[in-house]
Amino acid sequence: KNEVEQSPQNLTAQEGEFITINCSYSVGISALHWLQQHPGGGIVSLFMLSSGKKKHGRLIATINIQEKHSSLHITASHPRDSAVYICAVKGNQFYFGTGTSLTVIP
Amino acid sequence: SQTIHQWPATLVQPVGSPLSLECTVEGTSNPNLYWYRQAAGRGLQLLFYSVGIGQISSEVPQNLSASRPQDRQFILSSKKLLLSDSGFYLCAWSGISTDTQYFGPGTRLTVL
């Protein structure tokens, strides 16, 4: 069993839709990260969370420490949001989910 | 501002050949440095991390080695590549007191 599980694995949405990607983890953590991997492979760090909620533009990330769960929301999705979104947690080491592949159709 | 460089961007190597991938960071001192591999259809796997010159920790037993000859230089090597070494290799850095990692552009390695 992976320490970090993401759902869904693949997601296709129409432009403008509200999108939610979920992440559950099974280890004790000091922080959770949401990463965005573009089709070319480059990775960008979107958020680092240890509690509560963070917002950056159309992206919102939440974490529930008690339930060991985090969600990444994208409001008013756009084709440029198409990417793989990766959840990662920092316990005694870094653990990574396998990613959610998002395609936003115009 | 800080930047991270990796090269080459793509590499095709025969089985049994050596490997050297280089990562350099600019604009910061004494960063923590990381090498990751992302195999096709799989998540990121931490291979090595370094908290200082000459200090390398290996996360998984493997055919690869890492070195940090200078503060902002991190090298991933192999003496003899295996088919299973194919993948996308990412270098990352973080500050001493933060968990946020910043990733390089990656090297796509194909071993034939």
Side-chain angles (χ1 to χ4, degrees), chain A:
Chain A
K1 183 182 184 300
N2 293 333
E3 289 82 1
V4 180
E5 299 279 356
Q6 285 185 237
S7 64
Q9 287 189 328
N10 297 284
L11 182 57
T12 300
Q14 288 292 131
E15 183 173 357
E17 283 186 10
F18 179 82
I19 289 163
T20 295
I21 299 171
N22 295 299
C23 174
S24 297
Y25 54 92
S26 58
V27 295
I29 69 169
S30 59
L32 181 144
H33 300 255
W34 280 103
L35 309 172
Q36 180 190 53
Q37 185 170 27
H38 296 285
I43 292 180
V44 174
S45 178
L46 298 174
F47 294 103
M48 184 182 74
L49 293 165
S50 54
S51 65
K53 175 180 172 179
K54 284 189 176 180
K55 184 175 188 291
H56 184 232
R58 295 180 294 106
L59 301 177
I60 302 167
T62 63
I63 186 169
N64 185 317
I65 298 295
Q66 286 72 31
E67 294 184 3
K68 294 189 173 179
H69 181 269
S70 175
S71 293
L72 176 68
H73 306 285
I74 305 175
T75 61
S77 59
H78 190 276
R80 64 175 176 266
D81 297 326
S82 298
V84 174
Y85 292 83
I86 301 169
C87 174
V89 300
K90 175 76 182 340
N92 57 352
Q93 65 180 75
F94 272 99
Y95 300 95
F96 293 82
T98 54
T100 295
S101 179
L102 171 65
T103 302
V104 181
I105 300 170

Side-chain angles (χ1 to χ4, degrees), chain B residues 10-92:
Chain B
T10 60
L11 191 59
V12 180
Q13 292 284 99
V15 169
S17 64
L19 173 74
S20 181
L21 302 181
E22 187 163 346
C23 170
T24 59
V25 180
E26 296 177 357
T28 186
S29 296
N30 198 26
N32 294 328
L33 296 171
Y34 308 83
W35 276 113
Y36 292 91
R37 176 171 58 205
Q38 187 178 40
R42 301 184 66 180
L44 287 167
Q45 180 185 37
L46 179 63
L47 301 175
F48 300 97
Y49 70 93
S50 170
V51 298
I53 295 174
Q55 299 179 64
I56 310 293
S57 296
S58 174
E59 288 296 306
V60 293
Q62 60 203 304
N63 183 43
L64 302 167
S65 62
S67 62
R68 185 170 177 174
Q70 299 180 45
D71 181 44
R72 289 170 289 179
Q73 184 185 32
F74 206 21
I75 297 172
L76 184 69
S77 303
S78 173
K79 292 182 179 178
K80 286 187 177 182
L81 284 168
L82 307 172
L83 287 173
S84 58
D85 291 324
S86 293
F88 188 58
Y89 289 83
L90 286 153
C91 179

